[in-house]
């Protein structure tokens, strides 16, 4: 599952920020996505730019649900 690959790559990047060093060279969202896909592939995590967008939406939904639970809590 590619979403799982994105999460795996994200966890790798959290532990070793040097992995995403090349992101500083992104000039727009398209190049940013392409760089991430390439970095992921280089570290054995295969996914697409479209799947990154889906992963971001899922993360946003999770964060919104957590905030609502905290507020209602």
């Amino acid at each position: 599952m590619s979403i799982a690959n994105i999460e795996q790559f994200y966890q790798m990047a959290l532990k070793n920020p040097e992995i995403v060093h090349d992101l500083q060279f992104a000039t727009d969202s398209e190049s940013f996505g392409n760089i991430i896909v390439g970095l992921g592939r280089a570290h054995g995590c295969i996914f697409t730019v479209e799947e990154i967008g889906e992963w971001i939406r899922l993360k946003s939904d999770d964060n919104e649900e957590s905030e609502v639970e905290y507020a209602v809590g």
Side-chain angles (χ1 to χ4, degrees):
M1 176 179 209
S2 295
I3 297 295
N5 287 343
I6 296 168
E7 185 63 33
Q8 180 183 0
F9 180 70
Y10 175 70
Q11 294 302 321
M12 292 166 76
L14 286 176
K15 292 176 184 170
N16 182 3
E18 201 53 39
I19 289 174
V20 292
H21 178 265
D22 289 345
L23 289 177
Q24 68 181 325
F25 302 113
T27 56
D28 55 26
S29 61
E30 183 177 346
S31 65
F32 185 85
N34 290 332
I35 291 170
I36 290 211
V37 168
L39 290 169
R41 184 176 306 273
H43 289 86
C45 302
I46 309 301
F47 48 82
T48 66
V49 171
E50 292 79 16
E51 290 163 336
I52 294 169
E54 177 62 22
W55 180 80
I56 291 169
R57 282 187 291 283
L58 290 170
K59 285 292 197 184
S60 293
D61 290 347
D62 287 348
N63 287 338
E64 288 175 13
E65 287 176 14
S66 295
E67 290 173 9
V68 170
E69 289 174 8
Y70 178 77
V72 173

